[in-house]
Amino acid sequence: MNNVKTKVLEALRKVDDPDLKKDLVSLGMIDKLHIDGTTISFTIILTTPACPLQEVIKRACIQAIHAAVMDEFEIVITFTAKVTSGRSSSSVLPGVKNIIAIASGKGGVGKSTIATHLALALSNSGAHVGLLDADIFGPSIPTMWGCVTSRPTVMKRDGKNHIIPINRYNVQLLSIGFLSNMQEAIVWRGPMASAAFKQLLQDTDWGTLDYLLIDLPPGTSDIHLTLVQTVSITGAIVVTTPQKIALIDATKAIAMFRKEQIRVPILGLIENMSYFLTEQKNGSKPHYIFGKDGGKRLAEQASIPFLGQIPLLSMICQHGDLGTMPAKPIMPFHTIAKMLAQQISIQNATYKQDNQ
Ligand SMILES: Nc1ncnc2c1ncn2[C@@H]1O[C@H](COP(=O)(O)OP(=O)(O)OP(=O)(O)O)[C@@H](O)[C@H]1O
Ligand SMILES: [Mg+2]
């Protein structure tokens, strides 16, 4: 039996995680290896429950093991996930493994919508997720999540007040909209808005989170600076629509994250409102009303991973307006969430390597 176990481990040493470019055994991803008669069973610990490569890794393991031991062994592989972090545990919000900023240059391109559906998709995959609305002047999260009348509670611990986020669909939500009347305009100077944002971020009991998504206001504002000065961020996502006017502003957002004083890794670019579909006799036909592939090209030019295109769908707008959630993640968001989780794992591995 021990002989078989040794051979299996040897075989698994030849299987690399395609993203992390190291073998599964060295990465500590193999657990509970057990041989029972002609059954070999083990668990693979992924770096995210939203891993898009699960099947690829499984096939590679089976192939490698069957090449090393006899074919008649049955191989039972189960998956579990331990989300990685590149953030220091001594930093602000140590219980939060990854902080992801969702930004754009231009307003109205779909940041809040994307933040909402990505949070939902990541949570559906089994991750612990939070979503902070950083748009102090125009919070959308309470409306999009159908909880405008919700009010977070405050808990006193160690002589300090902690805000308890609102739990909706298993996602921890917080927005200035929960603390103010949504109909009233907030008229504050920049420093007041930044102070309010900092308080929402820092004084909240987020618990243990794998991913905290931050829905930023448009542009390159005080809030962006406050965010990067307050916490260490895993990375940012830039959202754009395909037309030139939006791309010019997206380029500025990319430049901001790459500035020496800011230096936030860009995990990817998402193109929203890429096209709409009309039903034809021979299938659906896409209409690129804002031009084709503008965001995709920008991602290539700026050497940023392209996370995907989202079509204009009335269902997306309706869910946002009504504050309802689809029974299961809408397809492009599901795929994009997996790609994002993948980029986060790659980013964390790179961080670990650079800081060893
Ligand atoms: N792919 C889509 N299909 C249909 N409607 C969409 C899509 N993406 C966003 N919308 C709608 O467009 C509007 C603007 O989206 P959203 O509020 O998410 O943009 P934003 O970038 O967060 O805006 P702001 O810059 O004001 O914060 C919303 O009504 C939303 O429902
Ligand atoms: Mg918004």
Side-chain angles (χ1 to χ4, degrees), residues 107-113 133 135 138-141 144 215-218:
V109 295
K111 291 176 295 303
S112 305
T113 305
D133 187 350
D135 201 335
S140 309
I141 295 304
M144 285 187 180
D215 175 21
L216 284 166

Side-chain angles (χ1 to χ4, degrees), residues 24-60:
L24 303 185
V25 178
S26 313
L27 285 166
M29 288 170 71
I30 304 296
D31 194 26
K32 297 186 187 143
L33 173 58
H34 187 69
I35 320 289
D36 186 6
T38 54
T39 305
I40 299 167
S41 61
F42 59 93
T43 300
I44 299 181
I45 308 169
L46 299 167
T47 55
T48 170
C51 179
L53 299 171
Q54 201 164 310
E55 277 311 305
V56 175
I57 295 174
K58 187 175 177 174
R59 273 200 303 273

Side-chain angles (χ1 to χ4, degrees), residues 104 106-114 135 138 140 144 215-218 272-273 310-314 316-318 320-321 333:
S104 74
K106 199 176 177 323
V109 295
K111 291 176 295 303
S112 305
T113 305
I114 288 171
D135 201 335
S140 309
M144 285 187 180
D215 175 21
L216 284 166
N272 191 22
M273 308 188 194
I310 301 165
L312 268 162
L313 293 174
S314 57
I316 293 178
C317 184
Q318 276 162 16
D321 282 356
F333 295 117

